[in-house]
Amino acid sequence: MTNRDFIVVSTTHDAEHKARELAALVVRQRLAACAQVYPVRSVYWWDGEVQDAEEWRVDLKTRADLADKLAEFIGENHSYDTPEIIGVPVVTGSTAYLDWVNTETRTG
């Protein structure tokens, strides 16, 4: 196991097809090596009241130095007014997997 400069960036969408489309766009742009899409239930404040909605979460595995580019790309390609864009550091991970993430993401 190793500690390197990688993050997981999460966002959500209101429909599975939108989440999958965004995931594919991000991976094609080499802003993330991998994306996982799965259903979640979100409870949150919006428009002055509590909302309860089914959403689709997208977790994107990438390098920390791509965080700003990835956040900008998500913002430009998302249908929400204020999309969730949260990055959390990878504290530890297998060397082989993190090497793969590094290889499969944009370097420039």
Side-chain angles (χ1 to χ4, degrees), residues 3 42 58 74 77 95 108:
N3 180 1
S42 297
V58 183
I74 291 169
N77 291 279
T95 300

Side-chain angles (χ1 to χ4, degrees), residues 62-93:
T62 192
R63 298 191 330 259
D65 65 327
L66 291 174
D68 290 341
K69 287 181 184 176
L70 178 54
E72 182 179 346
F73 187 85
I74 291 169
E76 291 171 352
N77 291 279
H78 207 292
S79 62
Y80 286 7
D81 292 337
T82 308
E84 171 188 359
I85 305 172
I86 296 176
V88 294
V90 173
V91 175
T92 189

Side-chain angles (χ1 to χ4, degrees), residues 2-72:
T2 184
N3 180 1
R4 301 206 330 216
D5 205 15
F6 296 90
I7 61 174
V8 176
V9 174
S10 297
T11 191
T12 55
H13 250 302
D14 59 356
E16 182 179 11
H17 76 277
K18 290 179 185 177
R20 289 183 180 278
E21 287 172 8
L22 180 63
L25 281 172
V26 168
V27 172
R28 273 193 207 101
Q29 290 294 311
R30 311 289 289 225
L31 292 171
C34 173
Q36 293 171 317
V37 178
Y38 51 97
V40 295
R41 190 88 197 164
S42 297
V43 179
Y44 54 94
W45 277 104
W46 191 254
D47 289 334
E49 59 187 357
V50 175
Q51 306 291 322
D52 185 331
E54 180 179 284
E55 291 188 296
W56 291 84
R57 183 169 169 163
V58 183
D59 286 341
L60 302 150
K61 284 56 166 268
T62 192
R63 298 191 330 259
D65 65 327
L66 291 174
D68 290 341
K69 287 181 184 176
L70 178 54
E72 182 179 346

